[in-house]
Amino acid sequence: MTFFKITLYIFSVLALLTVLIPFIKKDFWMFRVFDYPRLQKFTIIGIVFVLWIVFFPETEIIFDIVLMVSLGVSFLYLGYLILPFTPLGKTMIDRVKQSDGKQCLKLLVANIYQHNRNYQKLLNLVKKRNPDVVFLLETDKKWLEGVKTLRENYPHYIEIPQENTYGLLFYSKLPIKHQEINYLIDEEIPSIIADVEFDNQIVRIYGLHPTPPVPQENPHSTDRDAEILMIGKMAKEYDKPCLVIGDLNDVAWSYTTKLFLKSSELLDPRRGRGMYSTFHAKYKLLRWPLDHYFVSSHFRLVDMKVETHIDSDHFPISICLFISHEDEEDKMTADAEEKELVEEKIEAGLIDEPL
């Protein structure tokens, strides 16, 4: 057996394992981390499958045939999962053109990477985009000092600087009529609720940044999943124009995000348009969508864009939205079993017991 074929065997088995592992619905990071690189897995499996076809097209070895069939099925399966996040997929929120007579709600979300000290790049981006709302994550006291000039144009703000990479800074040109700072799962991980006045209406904004399921941060996804789903329940109960924004440390196509969409009945503007990958900004081959906007069915999309690099490990992401009438056609809804699972995951997060 040649070295090339042995190598092909190893890559084939490892690639198939990365597809199979996410089917294990356990919260431990070693299972959940494989949710992230779906496009990368799709590409690698496609390449490995082509190599088998090109170099061993007439093999009669049963193991080889099983591997090739498994790779082909996995390639199609991953393609099916990726399809909703391409222009070939069905959109969840309609796109509309900018209207001169209608006000557009503009937001900018940026995980700035706490140890990044290039405050000016972020300030330049804010000046260029001129959003109504700026939400900054991983902000410590140095970042608060570095961007405090934003208060001049954004007189309404919520500032929660922290040294643990979970600080939040929220700046708004729009009046904040109500605000909350919550510690839903962890007493050191804040999230916010801000009711802003826009177009003679109140728009509720939920901003959050839960922990990722990686060994150096959190060994399981329980806390992250619980916080995301708790916010989803709040949005569903609010039943008025609202948005969920931030770095959710979860990809748009994960099982948890899908459960969140069903339980919150919010819409994902990415669907049918693209992945809008925001992380990792410094490694082109290791990118996936971690920073999100989820919107209630009252909104229509004018534009959404991954912004230029600000020396963070994330790209900022901006969005422009109109408020219109409620359109429930493309909502996803949870069945009884999924609703029960949501409650189980939230309870597990509250008592810190991984499922």
Side-chain angles (χ1 to χ4, degrees):
M1 188 180 298
T2 65
F3 176 77
F4 173 73
K5 192 170 186 181
I6 293 172
T7 303
L8 200 55
Y9 275 136
I10 293 171
F11 271 94
S12 299
V13 171
L14 290 177
L16 290 173
L17 282 174
T18 66
V19 177
L20 294 173
I21 286 173
F23 282 100
I24 303 172
K25 302 301 182 187
K26 296 293 183 181
D27 289 352
F28 291 97
W29 73 268
M30 67 185 69
F31 303 120
R32 297 280 60 86
V33 74
F34 289 102
D35 287 332
Y36 292 83
R38 187 162 288 172
L39 179 60
Q40 289 81 355
K41 292 190 292 185
F42 175 76
T43 304
I44 290 170
I45 285 175
I47 292 170
V48 173
F49 180 69
V50 169
L51 290 175
W52 274 107
I53 298 298
V54 170
F55 290 99
F56 304 100
E58 298 179 0
T59 181
E60 295 182 358
I61 301 173
I62 297 298
F63 186 65
D64 293 359
I65 295 170
V66 170
L67 271 184
M68 282 191 276
V69 170
S70 300
L71 288 166
V73 170
S74 296
F75 182 77
L76 293 174
Y77 168 70
L78 290 172
Y80 169 76
L81 296 178
I82 289 169
L83 186 67
F85 302 93
T86 72
L88 299 176
K90 178 178 172 56
T91 59
M92 295 189 82
I93 172 175
D94 293 335
R95 186 186 290 274
V96 296
K97 292 183 179 180
Q98 178 75 61
S99 171
D100 293 335
K102 192 168 176 63
Q103 191 176 4
C104 175
L105 176 61
K106 296 185 290 184
L107 301 97
L108 176 71
V109 169
N111 181 321
I112 48 78
Y113 182 60
Q114 181 171 300
H115 304 295
N116 166 27
R117 297 303 172 194
N118 196 336
Y119 314 116
Q120 196 58 47
K121 273 197 173 183
L122 183 277
L123 293 172
N124 291 344
L125 178 62
V126 171
K127 183 177 180 180
K128 179 180 178 181
R129 290 298 172 207
N130 192 29
D132 299 299
V133 171
V134 178
F135 187 42
L136 307 178
L137 305 101
E138 286 203 23
T139 43
D140 57 7
K141 290 181 180 178
K142 288 183 178 179
W143 264 95
L144 176 58
E145 286 298 310
V147 302
K148 66 181 179 182
T149 55
L150 288 174
R151 297 174 185 171
E152 296 171 10
N153 293 320
Y154 296 85
H156 313 281
Y157 46 84
I158 304 169
E159 295 173 329
I160 322 165
Q162 295 194 170
E163 307 304 313
N164 63 353
T165 74
Y166 291 99
L168 306 176
L169 301 179
F170 181 92
Y171 295 96
S172 175
K173 292 181 178 180
L174 309 170
I176 299 176
K177 297 299 185 179
H178 169 78
Q179 69 181 59
E180 296 179 25
I181 299 171
N182 296 312
Y183 297 82
L184 297 174
I185 298 296
D186 190 313
E187 62 184 11
E188 296 182 351
I189 311 294
S191 64
I192 65 167
I193 298 174
D195 290 348
V196 299
E197 186 177 1
F198 170 75
D199 196 22
N200 296 317
Q201 298 187 62
I202 297 298
V203 175
R204 175 160 288 188
I205 300 174
Y206 300 90
L208 68 158
H209 181 206
T211 58
V214 292
Q216 63 270 31
E217 294 279 351
N218 200 325
H220 49 74
S221 69
T222 308
D223 293 351
R224 179 202 67 183
D225 296 352
E227 185 168 352
I228 292 171
L229 294 171
M230 286 177 79
I231 295 289
K233 279 188 67 179
M234 292 179 190
K236 173 71 165 57
E237 291 166 1
Y238 183 64
D239 198 32
K240 296 175 185 176
C242 67
L243 302 91
V244 173
I245 68 175
D247 171 8
L248 272 60
N249 273 314
D250 197 14
V251 282
W253 47 71
S254 78
Y255 178 74
T256 301
T257 299
K258 190 171 182 180
L259 191 60
F260 163 82
L261 287 175
K262 288 183 175 183
S263 58
S264 68
E265 298 187 6
L266 297 181
L267 308 177
D268 183 353
R270 275 188 171 95
R271 285 181 174 249
R273 296 190 170 90
M275 294 188 181
Y276 295 86
S277 296
T278 56
F279 177 90
H280 195 291
K282 296 180 181 179
Y283 305 112
K284 289 184 177 180
L285 298 180
L286 292 174
R287 285 186 184 163
W288 37 76
L290 287 189
D291 302 273
H292 302 271
Y293 296 99
F294 297 108
V295 307
S296 66
S297 60
H298 306 84
F299 292 95
R300 306 292 179 270
L301 178 68
V302 176
D303 189 35
M304 183 165 64
K305 183 178 181 181
V306 175
E307 299 291 351
T308 55
H309 194 209
I310 57 167
D311 290 352
S312 171
D313 52 354
H314 289 242
F315 291 106
I317 186 168
S318 61
I319 199 168
C320 181
L321 299 161
F322 281 157
I323 291 187
S324 184
H325 63 278
E326 193 170 5
D327 182 0
E328 300 186 358
E329 179 181 354
D330 295 313
K331 283 183 179 179
M332 300 170 69
T333 57
D335 59 27
E337 184 177 346
E338 288 165 334
K339 290 177 181 177
E340 184 178 345
L341 180 58
V342 167
E343 297 302 327
E344 288 178 4
K345 282 185 167 289
I346 290 173
E347 180 63 25
L350 291 171
I351 62 174
D352 198 28
E353 285 289 338
L355 293 178

